Structures are given as structure tokens and as C-alpha cells.
Amino acid sequence: MFVEADPYPWPYDGVLVADRLALVISGAQRWFYERTAQPDDALGRIARIVLLLRPMGATILAVRHGSDHGHQSRPVLPKIGGADHELIIEPSVADAVIDAEGMDAFYGSNMDAYLRARGIDTLILVGLGLEGPIHSTMRSANDRGYECLLVSDASAPHDPSLVRAALSTIAFSGGIFGAFAPTAAVVDAVADFTTSPTYSGALP
Amino acid sequence: MFVEADPYPWPYDGVLVADRLALVISGAQRWFYERTAQPDDALGRIARIVLLLRPMGATILAVRHGSDHGHQSRPVLPKIGGADHELIIEPSVADAVIDAEGMDAFYGSNMDAYLRARGIDTLILVGLGLEGPIHSTMRSANDRGYECLLVSDASAPHDPSLVRAALSTIAFSGGIFGAFAPTAAVVDAVADFTTSPTYSGALP
Amino acid sequence: MFVEADPYPWPYDGVLVADRLALVISGAQRWFYERTAQPDDALGRIARIVLLLRPMGATILAVRHGSDHGHQSRPVLPKIGGADHELIIEPSVADAVIDAEGMDAFYGSNMDAYLRARGIDTLILVGLGLEGPIHSTMRSANDRGYECLLVSDASAPHDPSLVRAALSTIAFSGGIFGAFAPTAAVVDAVADFTTSPTYSGALP
Amino acid sequence: MFVEADPYPWPYDGVLVADRLALVISGAQRWFYERTAQPDDALGRIARIVLLLRPMGATILAVRHGSDHGHQSRPVLPKIGGADHELIIEPSVADAVIDAEGMDAFYGSNMDAYLRARGIDTLILVGLGLEGPIHSTMRSANDRGYECLLVSDASAPHDPSLVRAALSTIAFSGGIFGAFAPTAAVVDAVADFTTSPTYSGALP
């Protein structure tokens, strides 16, 4: 059971176990909403994926990226505590909200501790900011040994002309940062998953 | 005194102090040499920048990126201890060799501790693997508050067709990950620097 | 201007600057309250120190220590989200509440990012759990280069018979983890501080 | 199969698997040798434990603790690169030498990445500096979820009068930082281990 992804069927070992899986929603914040292309399309697909994965027993995480750095004039990240920093999705959608102090969800956060304490080692990445928070988080997760899938059409880009390059970078050299696939491929895989006789999830 | 860079004159505050500055050479290893385009051109420009910055008193760091992860079949990073992992530049070129366990020079390394112990907060990034180790390191450094400049023609890309996108991502939104400039702009800035009456570096 | 401390006048360079200083209150939680000796005495002294340092412009931080680890039966830390995990001091006392996933306030938290973004490099440590969260945080802070003072009578011990040893460990070898002093010494130092002609703080 | 330890039979789940186990030797350096009591006794016991654990397939790690911090006059840690920083045991004894920038072996090092990449989650701690590097490393390991045993008579103290307190701190509250046992208890457990019919290690 796996997702038909580029550049390899994901996850690499073909084993997708719900309680080792988290969906990571990055950048669902006002600041990123205003700096990404067609964020509502991505948010719709994210909602669909949440509704698919939650009943299986997967963990849903929403990451609020922000920064306290006050010494630089350029707009690096939303200011922590400001209106731009707030989530624009209902927090109750997520099992936990992770506050990170960087583009990378693992920086200045409990992300790694949270995942490790639960034995989660497989991540599906979505959100607002394909080249920004989603890419930074995927790179960092990969260094840490997490197996990652980026859902391409559930990840709104800052600049639509950079999408192909952002996805090509992931796929470089046989999947240097993991793999990517559209929402439809995740839906298909989960359909297989929930009808499989070996399924041991929480569906009635 | 600053470098003419995109999307802003670098560093952001116009103050370049040699003992707060490090040149970070990523991926000067066999593994990356074989996976980047025209690496010798980049290595030549890196040598030139080293020769410029060293007499000023800037710190020169060479990062060896590697991984111990044995459970994944895809070639994520050179295996630590293997021939592909070795530096292809003379280690004595650098003040220190940093061993990192990821694309990100800050992961599984003493990079942050090393820089902080010396009061270094400004980084010039070069090497082999523009979209790989150089981008990961720049993203991570930026999250940590380091002010970063990527030298575009001293950073060999994995895929030349992705260079424009990799640079555009840095410059997004007024310089979301810092700035970039060609070697010539660094040379010009340092020429100004070393002839400035306020210069307090180590030149005779 | 400095605090009369053991084993050296603190801070080491005699320079105490309010906007580089944070008071770190660890373990002011139900769980630690029930596992420390005379916690109310410590809480009273902590309140006094807060009232002294806040008008100077120092940052006040309250750390909630907790853990998600579910695989171990022994009571390592309060369970995140449980009643034992909640602060027993008014959160508004602090400029920020730091959530940490360990005894060490720097683990699984934004502690380091928070302090660095504000240029804070000097810490006064108090709370409930001298040998537990306070010691772990002091050790970790010292590794990171922060200059630390533990206020001995504002740090309730888990076991009163271990206090002398916990303080001796700090002072070993000329102050291997920093210095310690009683509340009275901090009060005296701040009295000097606020009447000094070079004072540049926020007092009217 | 477990070690008779205080305050609980170790490890907590009674399962000791050689390829999930590492022996961590901290502070076997000139600097710590000169600052601990009876270091040769500890080094002898460490050698015995190495000879027991290595044939089972456990990983042996030697940690060099050092610091680059130059701004403080007190002797926090051996200076990196100095003679005091060097190992005083044969490096070939260990499968890897970990360079750490703190008392805590996890700070500024590849320690966590190294262990995770190999699926190691159980640590036996020994070395020179019971209250120093060994305690700091045990605290940090415990926060990260590693199950830890400190071998009391293979851990030379800085101050022999603090040994009881250092061990009591570990055992507090049912084993707040893990457990401790003498070398003899480890020897007994391994004897059981290697004669057990379920043993699957590397002994001939």
C-alpha cells in the first residue's frame, strides 16, 4: 500500500501505518495567505486530506511560523503575537498546534520532541508557502530521517512560476528530499488503505 | 560599505565587520562534485573569495555533509566515512572543518556553537549544490538570525535549469532568506573595504 | 555593578545590562509544587525578584516543563495538557510563557530563539525543582554560552538534603556552571543598579 | 533480562537489545582526568564494560567535550584543539568519537543524529566527571526519550563528597533521570544475556 508519487512510490518501504503518520499543515496564517497564489484552492484540498486521514488515526498538526527577530527590516516571517501570525484554519482541526520560530517547523519548536514521543516517522506536508515554510520543513524533516511526501496541489506557492523548480528539487537524484504527489494520488492510496484486510485503523 | 546584491544591498545594515563574518563552503566533496554542473568553475571562484576574505580576518569554514541513515535506499547524502564524503579542497584552506549530518550544515554539527562562541553573525555562502546543501544551510541560518549572502556563480547547481528559481526564492518578498550576488560584487565590496580608512583588519 | 555570589562576583564581567537580562522561572507548576520542599517560600522570593527586575526592563520568563513521552511508566515530567502541567503563578507575571518538552527549558522549546532574537545573554534562574528543571536548564544555558546565576533560596529543592551538593556542583572548579547567591544579594545588587548614575533603565 | 539497578530494574521494560544499546564514555580526556577523583579506577571498570558489551554488538561511543567560548575567564571546559581536550583512551576502542561543544554530549554534536540513524534508544553512561559531563548527558538523553543507566563506580566524580547526592538526584521520584548500578550488576546482567537461548548477538 503506497502513494503513486514522484520520483518513487511513497513511502520508500511501501508501509504506511496510521499511527506513525502525521499530516503537517504549514503556513495556514494570514501572513502566508496574503503572500501565496490561490491559497483557497490549497486550503480546500487540505480540508479534504484532513477528512481522509483523521479517521484512520493519523495525527494532524498545524504549524504557526513566526519570528521574534526585530533587528532586520525585511519581512522574514509574521511577527509573533500579531494578527498576521494567527491561524486561519480552525485550531480544532489539528491534534496540536506547533509554534515554530522559523520557516522550518523544527526550529524553536517542540516539533521533533512531539513526533518522537509518539513514534511518528512519516510525514505528509501541505500548506501555504510551497517554496517557503513547506520546503524548509521538508528539508529539515529529511535531515532528521523522517520519510516525507509533499502534496503538490495542496501547497500554495509564493510564486506560481517557481512550482516546477520547487518540485524538481525534491525529486532530484532519485528523491533527495522525499517525494511529491497530487491530492488525488493520496486519495487513491487511502482508499486502498481503508479497504485493505490488513487495515487496523479506527474506522468503524 | 556593502555588497551590491539582490534584492537589497547586503548586509541589511551596511556594516560588514571581518571578525563577525564567515565564509561557509558547503559540499566541496566528491559526492557533490559528481552531482553538480561545472563544479570547477565554482571551485575557482571560491578560491578567489577565500584569498580575498582570509587576509581581512574573516573565518573560513568547510562543511562536510554526510549521513548515517542506513534505512533508506535513495541516495540522500554521502555515507559518512566513505570516499564520496571526503573534502576535495585542501582542509588547511579552512579555519575549521564542520561535520554535519544533513544537507543543513547546522544539523548534527557544532556549526551554531562554533559561530556563536566567536560572535559571528554574518555569513557568505558558496559551494557545490546550490539547491541542496547551500540552500538548506541558508534557510536554516536565516531562521537562526544570521544575515546571509549567497554567491550565485560560486555555488554550482545540481540542475542548471533550476538556478533562476533557487535565486528567486531567496529574493522573494524583499529577501525572505537573505540576498545573492555574483563573485564580482563581493570583490568590489572587499576592495572598498580594504581601502577604507575605518578598516581595522589584519592586512599589513 | 555585580551580585555578591559564589564562587565569583556575578556576572563574570561585572556588567549587568537590563535589556540583556532575563529572569527564568522554572517549574512553577502543580506537579513540581507537590514534589518540592517549602515551595511557598521560594514562590514568595520569586515574586520579590520579579518586582525588582521588571521595572528595570529585564525580561521575565515562566517555563512550563512537560512531556509527551508515553512509553515509560515512571513519572518523568508532568503530562502536557494535564492539570499538573498548568502554571501556578499568574501567567501575566511573565513577558512570555515558554513551553519546554524536558527538564531542560531549552529542549523542545523556543527558549534559545526567544533569547537570541532579543540579545539576551544573561540569566537569573529560580523556581521549583533545584536539582530538577533548574539545574538542567542552568547546565544547558551554560553550554550555550549564557552567563547564569541561580538564586539559592528562590529555588525549592526536591530533596532538602541535596541542596548543598547541587550548589557545590555549580561552584566546582571556579564556577563550572555559573554562580549562585541568595535573594538578598540580588536585592543589594539591584539597589546599587537603580541608583547608579550610569543606569539607563525604564524607571521613572 | 535486566540490570539490578536503583531505583528500578533497568531498562524499564526489561528488554535489552544489543543493537539498540550504546555505551557512552564521557570525559575520558586529560582535562577531566586532572579534575576527578581516582580516575584510573573508573577507567579500569570502563575497559571491562567495553570488553563485555562490544562482542554483544552494542555500540561504543567516546565523547570529547570541549568549548570554543573565549569570552569567559573561568575554566568551563577544555579548549577545543588543546592538549587537555585530547582523549586519554585509545580512539579505536570506540566505534565513533563524538565531538560535543558542551558538558552535554548532545550539544553542538552529531550525537542525537548518530543514535537515531542506528535505532539506538538505550544508553549506558560512564566516564570521568560524574557531576559534570556524565550528569549533563544523562539529563539531556532522558529529555530526548533515551532510557539511561549510569554505572556508578565507572563514573569518576569531581568531588567524592557529592557522589551520593548525584546518584540520589537520578533516583528521585522513581527514577526521574533513569537508574544507576555498579559495574558488577552490569556484568551479571550481561552474563545472563549471553547465555540466554533468545540471544541473537555476535558472539561465536
Side-chain angles (χ1 to χ4, degrees):
Chain A
M1 187 258 132
F2 52 78
V3 179
E4 292 282 2
D6 272 316
Y8 62 90
W10 184 89
Y12 74 95
D13 58 1
V15 179
L16 197 53
V17 180
D19 59 12
R20 283 171 48 194
L21 176 67
L23 176 71
V24 180
I25 308 168
S26 278
Q29 300 164 258
R30 177 68 43 198
W31 196 87
F32 290 101
Y33 185 88
E34 292 170 357
R35 286 166 172 80
T36 46
Q38 299 183 290
D40 290 309
D41 287 0
L43 290 170
R45 293 193 188 96
I46 291 168
R48 188 170 174 206
I49 297 171
V50 168
L51 292 176
L52 274 168
L53 296 183
R54 181 188 277 290
M56 292 168 51
T59 297
I60 314 293
L61 298 176
V63 183
R64 287 199 305 181
H65 303 261
S67 177
D68 289 316
H69 287 300
H71 63 292
Q72 297 179 338
S73 52
R74 59 200 165 83
V76 170
L77 277 174
K79 182 84 186 159
I80 292 173
D84 276 5
H85 183 244
E86 287 311 301
L87 288 179
I88 56 172
I89 58 174
E90 182 56 42
S92 64
V93 162
D95 294 295
V97 175
I98 305 285
D99 275 308
E101 294 250 345
M103 281 288 182
D104 172 6
F106 289 87
Y107 182 66
S109 81
N110 69 331
M111 182 82 167
D112 202 40
Y114 184 97
L115 297 172
R116 291 173 70 171
R118 289 165 177 76
I120 296 169
D121 59 6
T122 312
L123 306 180
I124 296 180
L125 301 160
V126 298
L128 307 184
L130 172 62
E131 317 95 294
I134 302 172
H135 231 275
S136 279
T137 300
M138 188 172 196
R139 286 167 177 264
S140 185
N142 194 63
D143 276 350
R144 286 169 166 76
Y146 294 93
E147 171 72 359
C148 297
L149 178 78
L150 186 150
V151 187
S152 49
D153 57 358
S155 297
H158 292 296
D159 179 343
S161 76
L162 303 179
V163 169
R164 193 193 62 81
L167 298 179
S168 292
T169 298
I170 293 168
F172 172 73
S173 191
I176 209 161
F177 295 119
F180 66 91
T183 301
V186 177
V187 172
D188 286 351
V190 173
D192 284 0
F193 186 66
T194 54
T195 59
S196 155
T198 63
Y199 172 63
S200 61
L203 269 181
Chain B
M1 188 260 134
F2 52 79
V3 178
E4 292 283 1
D6 272 317
Y8 61 90
W10 184 90
Y12 75 94
D13 59 0
V15 180
L16 198 52
V17 179
D19 59 12
R20 285 171 47 196
L21 176 67
L23 176 72
V24 180
I25 308 168
S26 278
Q29 300 163 258
R30 177 70 42 199
W31 197 87
F32 290 101
Y33 185 87
E34 291 170 357
R35 286 168 173 79
T36 47
Q38 299 183 288
D40 289 310
D41 288 359
L43 290 169
R45 293 193 188 97
I46 292 169
R48 186 170 176 207
I49 297 171
V50 168
L51 291 176
L52 273 168
L53 295 184
R54 182 189 277 288
M56 290 168 51
T59 298
I60 314 294
L61 299 175
V63 184
R64 287 199 305 183
H65 303 262
S67 176
D68 289 317
H69 288 298
H71 64 293
Q72 296 180 338
S73 53
R74 61 201 162 82
V76 170
L77 277 174
K79 183 82 184 158
I80 292 172
D84 277 4
H85 183 244
E86 287 311 300
L87 287 180
I88 55 171
I89 56 174
E90 182 56 43
S92 65
V93 162
D95 294 294
V97 176
I98 305 285
D99 274 310
E101 293 250 346
M103 281 289 182
D104 172 6
F106 290 87
Y107 182 67
S109 81
N110 68 333
M111 181 80 168
D112 202 39
Y114 184 96
L115 296 173
R116 289 173 70 171
R118 289 165 176 75
I120 296 169
D121 58 7
T122 313
L123 306 179
I124 296 181
L125 302 160
V126 299
L128 306 184
L130 172 62
E131 318 95 294
I134 302 172
H135 231 274
S136 280
T137 300
M138 189 172 196
R139 286 166 176 266
S140 186
N142 194 62
D143 276 351
R144 287 167 164 79
Y146 294 94
E147 172 72 358
C148 297
L149 178 78
L150 186 150
V151 186
S152 49
D153 57 358
S155 297
H158 293 295
D159 179 343
S161 77
L162 302 179
V163 169
R164 194 194 60 82
L167 299 179
S168 292
T169 299
I170 293 169
F172 172 73
S173 192
I176 209 160
F177 295 119
F180 66 92
T183 301
V186 177
V187 172
D188 286 351
V190 172
D192 284 359
F193 187 65
T194 53
T195 58
S196 155
T198 62
Y199 172 64
S200 61
L203 270 181
Chain C
M1 188 257 131
F2 52 78
V3 178
E4 291 283 1
D6 272 317
Y8 62 90
W10 185 91
Y12 75 93
D13 58 0
V15 179
L16 197 53
V17 179
D19 58 11
R20 285 170 48 195
L21 177 66
L23 176 71
V24 180
I25 307 168
S26 277
Q29 300 164 258
R30 177 70 43 199
W31 196 87
F32 290 101
Y33 185 88
E34 291 168 358
R35 286 167 173 79
T36 47
Q38 300 183 288
D40 289 310
D41 287 0
L43 290 169
R45 293 192 189 97
I46 292 167
R48 187 169 174 207
I49 297 170
V50 168
L51 292 176
L52 273 168
L53 296 183
R54 181 189 277 290
M56 290 168 53
T59 297
I60 314 293
L61 298 177
V63 183
R64 288 199 306 182
H65 303 261
S67 176
D68 289 317
H69 288 299
H71 64 292
Q72 298 180 337
S73 52
R74 60 201 162 84
V76 171
L77 276 174
K79 182 83 185 159
I80 292 173
D84 277 5
H85 184 244
E86 287 311 301
L87 287 180
I88 56 171
I89 57 174
E90 181 57 40
S92 64
V93 162
D95 294 295
V97 176
I98 304 286
D99 275 308
E101 294 250 345
M103 282 289 182
D104 172 6
F106 289 87
Y107 182 65
S109 81
N110 68 331
M111 182 81 167
D112 202 38
Y114 184 97
L115 296 173
R116 289 172 71 171
R118 289 164 177 76
I120 296 170
D121 58 7
T122 313
L123 305 180
I124 296 180
L125 301 161
V126 298
L128 306 184
L130 172 62
E131 318 95 294
I134 302 172
H135 231 275
S136 280
T137 300
M138 189 172 196
R139 285 167 178 266
S140 185
N142 194 63
D143 276 351
R144 286 168 166 78
Y146 294 94
E147 171 72 359
C148 296
L149 178 77
L150 185 149
V151 187
S152 49
D153 57 358
S155 297
H158 292 296
D159 180 343
S161 77
L162 303 179
V163 169
R164 192 194 62 81
L167 299 179
S168 291
T169 299
I170 292 168
F172 171 73
S173 190
I176 209 161
F177 295 120
F180 65 92
T183 302
V186 177
V187 172
D188 286 351
V190 172
D192 285 358
F193 186 66
T194 53
T195 58
S196 155
T198 63
Y199 172 64
S200 61
L203 271 181
Chain D
M1 188 259 133
F2 51 79
V3 179
E4 292 283 0
D6 272 317
Y8 62 90
W10 184 89
Y12 75 94
D13 59 0
V15 179
L16 198 53
V17 180
D19 59 11
R20 284 169 49 194
L21 176 66
L23 176 72
V24 179
I25 308 168
S26 278
Q29 302 164 257
R30 178 70 42 199
W31 197 87
F32 290 102
Y33 186 87
E34 291 170 358
R35 286 168 173 77
T36 48
Q38 300 182 288
D40 289 309
D41 287 0
L43 290 170
R45 294 193 188 97
I46 292 168
R48 187 169 175 208
I49 297 171
V50 167
L51 292 176
L52 274 167
L53 296 184
R54 181 189 278 289
M56 291 168 52
T59 298
I60 315 293
L61 298 177
V63 183
R64 287 199 304 182
H65 303 262
S67 177
D68 289 317
H69 288 298
H71 63 292
Q72 297 179 339
S73 52
R74 59 200 164 83
V76 170
L77 277 174
K79 182 82 186 159
I80 292 172
D84 277 5
H85 183 244
E86 286 311 301
L87 288 179
I88 56 171
I89 57 174
E90 182 56 42
S92 64
V93 162
D95 294 295
V97 176
I98 306 285
D99 275 309
E101 295 250 346
M103 281 289 182
D104 172 7
F106 290 87
Y107 183 65
S109 81
N110 68 332
M111 181 81 167
D112 201 40
Y114 184 96
L115 297 172
R116 291 173 70 170
R118 288 164 177 75
I120 296 169
D121 58 7
T122 313
L123 307 179
I124 297 181
L125 302 161
V126 298
L128 306 185
L130 172 62
E131 319 95 292
I134 303 172
H135 231 274
S136 279
T137 300
M138 188 173 197
R139 286 167 177 265
S140 185
N142 194 62
D143 277 350
R144 286 169 165 77
Y146 294 94
E147 172 71 0
C148 297
L149 178 78
L150 185 149
V151 187
S152 49
D153 56 0
S155 297
H158 293 295
D159 179 345
S161 77
L162 302 180
V163 169
R164 194 194 60 81
L167 299 179
S168 291
T169 298
I170 293 168
F172 171 74
S173 191
I176 209 161
F177 295 120
F180 66 91
T183 301
V186 177
V187 171
D188 286 351
V190 173
D192 284 0
F193 186 66
T194 54
T195 58
S196 154
T198 62
Y199 171 64
S200 61
L203 271 180

